[in-house]
Amino acid sequence: MAKDRTEPEGNEELCTFSEQENGDCTVSTTVVGASGELAKKKIFPALFSLYYEDFLPKNFVVFGYARTKMSDDELRNMIRETLTCRIDTRLIDARICRENCQDKNHKMDEFLKRCFYHSGQYNSEEHFVELDSKLKEKEAGKVAHRLFYLSIPPNIFVDVVRCVSLKAPSIKGRTRVIVEKPFGVDSESAEKLTRGLKQYLAEDQIYRIDHYLGKELVENLLVLRFSNLVFEPLWSRNYIRNVQLIFSEDSGTEGHGRHFDNYGIIRDKMQNHLLQILALFAMEAPLSLDAEDARNEKVKVLKSMRPLKLEDTVVGQYKGHSKGDKSYPSYTDDPTIPNDSLTPTFAAVAFFIDNARWDGVPFLMKAGKALHTRRAEIRVQFRHVPGNLYERKLGTDLDKTTNELVLRVQPDEAIYLNINNKVPGLGMKLDRTDLNLLYQTRYPREKADAYERLLLDAIEGEGRFFVRSDELDAAWALVTPLLKELEEKKVVPELYPYGSRGPVGAHHLAAKHNVRWGDLSGDDS
Ligand SMILES: NC(=O)C1=CN([C@@H]2O[C@H](COP(=O)(O)OP(=O)(O)OC[C@H]3O[C@@H](n4cnc5c(N)ncnc54)[C@H](OP(=O)(O)O)[C@@H]3O)[C@@H](O)[C@H]2O)C=CC1
Ligand SMILES: O=C1O[C@H](COP(=O)(O)O)[C@@H](O)[C@H](O)[C@H]1O
């Protein structure tokens, strides 16, 4: 029997546990685009981890579907060879390989026996009829819920969804479809994609995946806010001076240049991951943990935001750089990218939420590739203590000594609060230190990958951490006018060296809003 995740009320399980025990129900997951990078790197490893950890229902099958010709055994070999999942890390870390590796190999063999492949075109109803009959054979007349994971380019989403809904839907169970980003490139294209999908599927069958919503710290945001007394009373303009979402990567677009050049960093990270996190951070308490209640609140906050303006935006692009005997390429050194590309690989922006809670509080975001570090964090800077008794000890710049709460999403997940503290001793010297929850120390077990968590949610019919179409529209409405203006005016991005902290313009933007980027303060834990 699958493990119970002790889910909240309102969660509709795909199979009831008694159905699973009786063997009356089955779940079939078809990975469409099974020959691709994402399937190999993330989706199959996530499915195996779920199986290894006993989270999958007793009866399940996994199908791969793509145009590439492959036998079932070839798919199985591909999965085995590319299975770099966390289970491996655990076995190596624990240095207890022999016994556990045997267990893993045994489980892997069991898992692979449930994996099958069908080769077909993405727009061929006939090929989906063939898939349907193979699925039916494995499902053996049970109530069968079907999940299709579209790990393919977006221009073929609607073809596949048409074929699935006409020729391979679940008859007695539910049919759900996970859709990978990008969900359009602007408001218009996103709406068109949604219309296309909704010709064949109801909204509650569509699971738009944003893998940042499956990251541990992001899922914890709601727990932190709504199950502790101490944070929520402070969570407003009364106590918070600014909020910063800082997401940097230390690698460039090597290998993905052509794909990235069509999008740029605002579409790649801000419109989706960062706005989703901002919405979870800033929304009002939902009525319940039900997916629709939480998503209603996210929509409300997104709709209260002002669309981005050019004067509140800085764009950058990385340039080549040599350090010692190592040299790093510029963005346009990639032969698949035009030499005169103006695509931003970095952006810093200021958002504002026009509601009672957040009026006047700048929400600053910066995201970039080829920066000095890989880090994703949310930084909350609080106001200074009025009439602080220790003002003279704290120095002249009170803003430097305010409390700051940091939620580090990756790497090394942590939640810490910068505080002022007395240095022990007879004198009265103050120190800046932090109250620190370092996940690695407190929860040493390895973390589930975001794809695992979200796949399990989709299998169980839990939509809370998937993006609803009105959220998507609201998020696109905030960035589309800016994207159009950047493109129409051919705004030239500020160059920054590969491996640096990004363009200087980001500091001017912060200064304009009386903000100091927290990641540059030296208070990092
Ligand atoms: N890779 C990643 O880390 C991430 C990927 N994504 C998104 O997920 C989806 C899948 O990603 P990824 O696996 O990297 O993509 P791939 O380019 O590897 O494509 C997946 C599969 O789709 C088929 N395919 C590729 N191009 C075309 C085409 N033009 N027409 C028809 N079929 C095509 C190929 O299978 P075959 O030829 O066998 O049919 C390929 O193996 C993409 O939409 C991507 O934007 C999102 C986030 C991260
Ligand atoms: O969605 C995307 O995310 C990856 C980074 O993901 P992470 O989980 O490793 O932080 C990014 O490289 C890619 O450009 C973007 O499309």
Side-chain angles (χ1 to χ4, degrees):
M1 187 174 85
K3 257 187 214 163
D4 184 357
R5 292 167 89 199
T6 52
E7 286 293 350
E9 283 174 19
N11 179 43
E12 171 205 334
E13 287 173 358
L14 203 57
C15 292
T16 64
F17 285 117
S18 63
E19 274 176 328
Q20 283 175 31
E21 273 178 336
N22 296 337
D24 289 342
C25 168
T26 182
V27 174
S28 309
T29 301
T30 302
V31 181
V32 181
S35 56
E37 194 195 320
L38 186 70
K40 287 182 213 163
K41 208 172 62 180
K42 291 290 183 184
I43 305 171
F44 289 120
L47 284 166
F48 174 61
S49 291
L50 289 174
Y51 176 70
Y52 188 88
E53 301 274 11
D54 289 334
F55 275 112
L56 289 185
K58 183 176 150 215
N59 298 310
F60 76 91
V61 285
V62 174
F63 263 80
Y65 184 100
R67 295 171 307 181
T68 301
K69 300 272 179 237
M70 247 193 273
S71 64
D72 291 343
D73 278 340
E74 282 166 331
L75 174 81
R76 290 170 186 153
N77 286 339
M78 184 195 91
I79 298 176
R80 198 192 285 279
E81 280 162 19
T82 54
L83 209 70
T84 51
C85 67
R86 67 190 171 96
I87 308 301
D88 283 329
T89 323
R90 186 193 314 168
L91 299 182
I92 292 161
D93 284 355
R95 309 211 184 289
I96 46 170
C97 233
R98 180 176 290 210
E99 223 173 79
N100 285 349
C101 278
Q102 278 169 2
D103 177 41
K104 184 201 141 190
N105 289 337
H106 173 65
K107 285 220 165 181
M108 171 63 85
D109 290 340
E110 283 178 353
F111 174 76
L112 291 175
K113 279 188 206 148
R114 316 269 198 110
C115 295
F116 306 91
Y117 185 76
H118 187 70
S119 163
Q121 297 295 324
Y122 298 109
N123 59 359
S124 164
E125 292 183 17
E126 190 191 328
H127 294 166
F128 277 82
V129 169
E130 291 164 8
L131 173 69
D132 181 64
S133 66
K134 284 192 180 174
L135 283 166
K136 281 197 178 116
E137 188 191 317
K138 307 296 172 207
E139 291 162 355
K142 297 186 177 71
V143 172
H145 302 296
R146 291 186 180 176
L147 177 66
F148 293 84
Y149 193 132
L150 307 197
S151 179
I152 45 175
N155 59 317
I156 47 177
F157 284 170
V158 178
D159 280 337
V160 172
V161 161
R162 173 175 51 81
C163 294
V164 163
S165 77
L166 297 179
K167 301 297 173 190
S170 168
I171 301 301
K172 288 193 259 174
R174 293 181 196 283
T175 305
R176 293 177 178 134
V177 178
I178 299 182
V179 192
E180 260 295 344
K181 80 176 178 80
F183 315 120
V185 292
D186 55 17
S187 292
E188 272 175 18
S189 52
E191 278 165 28
K192 186 169 169 225
L193 178 58
T194 300
R195 273 200 306 279
L197 297 176
K198 285 195 180 171
Q199 275 177 269
Y200 304 102
L201 298 171
E203 179 64 34
D204 66 359
Q205 294 180 282
I206 306 171
Y207 288 69
R208 294 178 194 80
I209 194 166
D210 179 326
H211 76 284
Y212 266 77
L213 292 180
K215 299 212 181 225
E216 188 62 55
L217 261 280
V218 177
E219 294 218 337
N220 193 39
L221 243 178
L222 299 190
V223 179
L224 197 72
R225 284 191 63 192
F226 301 123
S227 78
N228 291 294
L229 184 69
V230 293
F231 296 112
E232 204 48 22
L234 304 183
W235 220 252
S236 75
R237 65 190 301 277
N238 297 332
Y239 296 97
I240 292 179
R241 201 158 41 108
N242 66 73
V243 180
Q244 306 175 15
L245 292 107
I246 304 176
F247 283 58
S248 52
E249 289 183 87
D250 56 3
S251 54
T253 60
E254 299 92 326
H256 298 280
R258 189 203 307 264
H259 167 80
F260 185 86
D261 204 52
N262 293 325
Y263 295 98
I265 201 78
I266 297 175
R267 293 183 174 96
D268 191 56
K269 284 216 144 161
M270 289 187 166
Q271 179 277 334
N272 39 50
H273 309 323
L274 298 198
L275 275 175
Q276 281 294 320
I277 295 174
L278 189 155
L280 287 172
F281 179 96
M283 73 186 196
E284 298 300 316
L287 277 176
S288 75
L289 283 175
D290 179 77
E292 301 320 325
D293 287 338
R295 297 193 290 190
N296 288 344
E297 293 307 328
K298 277 160 75 192
V299 173
K300 278 190 215 160
V301 82
L302 289 168
K303 285 190 167 171
S304 309
M305 290 170 68
R306 290 180 219 162
L308 276 181
K309 293 204 180 105
L310 190 55
E311 61 263 33
D312 275 332
T313 303
V314 172
V315 287
Q317 190 185 84
Y318 63 88
K319 62 178 182 183
H321 172 61
S322 298
K323 207 175 180 184
D325 54 1
K326 238 184 146 212
S327 61
Y328 299 89
S330 73
Y331 175 65
T332 51
D333 281 344
D334 182 333
T336 64
I337 295 174
N339 284 335
D340 57 355
S341 169
L342 297 177
T343 302
T345 58
F346 175 98
V349 300
F351 276 109
F352 289 90
I353 305 175
D354 289 328
N355 67 13
R357 187 189 280 261
W358 296 114
D359 188 11
V361 178
F363 280 75
L364 260 60
M365 276 182 191
K366 65 177 171 173
K369 298 221 172 238
L371 292 170
H372 72 297
T373 189
R374 173 175 178 263
R375 187 176 286 196
E377 57 192 17
I378 307 163
R379 302 185 84 105
V380 188
Q381 295 188 343
F382 291 88
R383 296 191 183 282
H384 66 261
V385 177
N388 194 328
L389 292 175
Y390 295 95
E391 190 171 336
R392 282 184 29 224
K393 301 271 172 202
L394 290 169
T396 47
D397 189 349
L398 283 184
D399 284 349
K400 270 192 178 167
T401 58
T402 60
N403 297 122
E404 186 176 32
L405 175 69
V406 182
L407 311 180
R408 191 160 67 222
V409 176
Q410 67 185 30
D412 305 328
E413 294 94 332
I415 302 175
Y416 60 94
L417 178 66
N418 281 319
I419 57 162
N420 299 308
N421 196 51
K422 177 180 169 297
V423 178
L426 296 178
M428 178 50 74
K429 203 168 164 227
L430 299 195
D431 184 25
R432 236 167 124 62
T433 186
D434 49 60
L435 305 175
N436 194 347
L437 168 60
L438 195 58
Y439 272 47
Q440 191 51 41
T441 313
R442 178 69 182 87
Y443 308 109
R445 200 159 184 263
E446 83 289 336
K447 310 288 166 310
D449 187 77
Y451 280 85
E452 265 175 65
R453 202 187 309 275
L454 293 173
L455 256 162
L456 185 55
D457 278 351
I459 287 171
E460 292 181 341
E462 170 56 79
R464 196 179 340 141
F465 289 108
F466 291 86
V467 182
R468 211 170 59 187
S469 67
D470 49 353
E471 286 180 73
L472 185 64
D473 293 345
W476 275 120
L478 294 174
V479 298
T480 296
L482 171 80
L483 291 166
K484 290 214 155 79
E485 198 173 347
L486 285 170
E487 280 151 18
E488 275 159 24
K489 292 188 173 158
K490 297 195 186 322
V491 174
V492 178
E494 191 180 327
L495 295 178
Y496 61 95
Y498 195 121
S500 70
R501 288 174 180 268
V504 180
H507 303 287
H508 300 314
L509 175 71
K512 177 180 156 189
H513 294 291
N514 205 13
V515 174
R516 203 179 260 124
W517 290 108
D519 59 333
L520 309 178
S521 68
D523 272 348
D524 279 9
S525 199

